Amino acid sequence: MLTTVSVLAGLAILVGLAGIAIPVLPGLILIWGSVLVWSLAAQNAVSWAVLVISTALAIAGWLLQYLIPGRRLRDAGVPNRSTLIGLVAGMIGFFLIPVLGLPLGFVAGVYLAELTRIGHERAWASTRSAVAAAMVSYGIELTTGLLIAGAFVFGAWRVLF
């Protein structure tokens, strides 16, 4: 049974990693939840250690995912209002044009918000800063997911073999 749970958890982790790259699923939550389910099924020292490490990584990743890009946006002078408009436009875009609509809507939303706030020339610079911050956020989330996946693979290997 533990082998089956391990395989299913590994597959769910892969789906979570894909969810980070293609924002359809809550990637990092799915990855951490898979480790939690596996740890509850395995119930041994290695699985609990993997869960503790995964939890620490997930918390650090979630914090860094918002703190670092937020600081970059603040330093670039992009207000939270423009970012929020970009996020809402991205969500709308996601439903209008599946997958590609999210980044396109985000860029268009930030640009239009900044265009009305500061004008054309400075709006594009703010939009580039917002896109760079979003990419940093994705990078942090993906790195965190990969680290948790690595901890899971190591732990599952130790438990099963």
Side-chain angles (χ1 to χ4, degrees), residues 57-159:
L57 287 169
I59 290 169
W62 284 320
L63 288 173
L64 292 175
Q65 183 181 358
Y66 295 104
L67 291 177
I68 292 174
R71 178 176 290 159
R72 284 185 170 200
L73 288 171
R74 211 172 22 261
D75 292 346
V78 180
N80 290 336
R81 179 179 150 305
S82 295
T83 306
L84 183 61
I85 290 170
L87 290 172
V88 169
M91 290 302 200
I92 293 168
F94 179 77
F95 290 106
L96 294 176
I97 307 169
V99 182
L100 291 178
L102 181 67
L104 294 175
F106 176 76
V107 170
V110 170
Y111 178 75
L112 291 174
E114 289 296 280
L115 181 65
T116 59
R117 187 176 77 87
I118 57 176
H120 172 69
E121 290 182 22
R122 292 178 43 210
W124 187 241
S126 292
T127 303
R128 280 195 312 267
S129 296
V131 169
M135 295 308 293
V136 168
S137 179
Y138 281 126
I140 291 169
E141 186 176 10
L142 183 60
T143 300
T144 303
L146 289 170
L147 289 171
I148 293 171
F152 168 77
V153 167
F154 176 78
W157 185 266
R158 292 279 312 222
V159 169

Side-chain angles (χ1 to χ4, degrees), residues 34-44 46-48 50-51:
S34 300
V35 173
L36 173 65
V37 169
W38 172 77
S39 296
L40 291 172
Q43 292 194 10
N44 60 46
V46 172
S47 67
W48 296 126
V50 169
L51 179 62

